[in-house]
Amino acid sequence: MEHLKLILEEPEEQAGQIALVRLVKDIPDYEFFYLLNKHNRFCFERIDDLVLEGSYFTYSFVVFRGYCRESKVCFHFFGNRSVQSVQKKISDVLFPDEQETSWLMPLHPDADYILFTPDTYADFSVILLPENLCFQRQDLFLSADDALYQIIQYYE
């Protein structure tokens, strides 16, 4: 009788947690964060933009940071859609991979913000989103292999 070999795969490590925040209507960033800060004890403030270099464009994404003293967790809101793009060179191909507008999560272009914390067990429910302005947030986990996780880690 032959021996049966079982190979167990190691579970994929979860490196960070994100939540997708979708707004009901299109409003400026400053207005959304004014209302968000009005409903929370901790204050979100705009910090340096996340800058991504592409082949043809340089993209900028807004970033807001807030710190919860009760849970001792730092939260970051990243704008999913680029707020500025600077063309570095003119495309020499008919259908370039890059467009003037870019998304951090291209599979979710309807998401306005990406809420991130490096803590794997962070509770996003401590952040009170303004009523009648946001849809229910969508919680997701990122692995260390995800491109978005690597971009965010490089930013920090």
Side-chain angles (χ1 to χ4, degrees):
M1 188 165 149
E2 294 183 29
H3 294 302
L4 183 62
K5 291 184 182 181
L6 296 175
I7 299 173
L8 299 176
E9 293 181 16
E10 293 182 20
E12 186 175 313
E13 234 181 86
Q14 295 174 346
Q17 184 176 357
I18 64 169
L20 301 180
V21 177
R22 294 171 176 88
L23 299 180
V24 173
K25 60 182 179 179
D26 191 25
I27 62 170
D29 294 327
Y30 64 85
E31 186 177 339
F32 172 69
F33 283 96
Y34 170 76
L35 294 170
L36 187 68
N37 288 336
K38 194 173 169 181
H39 290 88
N40 292 283
R41 289 185 184 180
F42 49 100
C43 183
F44 283 94
E45 60 185 0
R46 186 167 179 178
I47 57 175
D48 293 337
D49 288 354
L50 170 65
V51 177
L52 290 181
E53 296 286 337
S55 300
Y56 301 106
F57 291 94
T58 300
Y59 302 103
S60 295
F61 299 88
V62 295
V63 181
F64 290 84
R65 177 182 59 202
Y67 182 74
C68 180
R69 291 193 172 122
E70 290 85 23
S71 62
K72 295 183 175 38
V73 176
C74 186
F75 295 102
H76 288 86
F77 271 93
F78 292 91
N80 189 28
R81 184 180 175 160
S82 61
V83 292
Q84 182 182 15
S85 60
V86 178
Q87 189 169 10
K88 296 191 291 188
K89 63 181 180 178
I90 297 175
S91 175
D92 54 353
V93 295
L94 186 58
F95 299 106
D97 291 340
E98 293 182 29
Q99 301 297 325
E100 191 171 337
T101 303
S102 180
W103 286 266
L104 287 175
M105 293 195 71
L107 297 177
H108 300 281
D110 59 330
D112 294 295
Y113 298 100
I114 300 166
L115 178 56
F116 172 79
T117 181
D119 188 3
T120 20
Y121 301 108
D123 185 14
F124 289 132
S125 66
V126 298
I127 300 173
L128 300 174
L129 297 173
E131 284 186 34
N132 301 327
L133 188 59
C134 299
F135 292 107
Q136 184 177 4
R137 70 176 188 279
Q138 179 183 357
D139 295 342
L140 301 169
F141 285 98
L142 292 178
S143 71
D145 298 334
D146 287 331
L148 179 60
Y149 181 77
Q150 293 171 3
I151 289 169
I152 292 172
Q153 289 295 45
Y154 180 74
Y155 172 77
E156 291 182 348

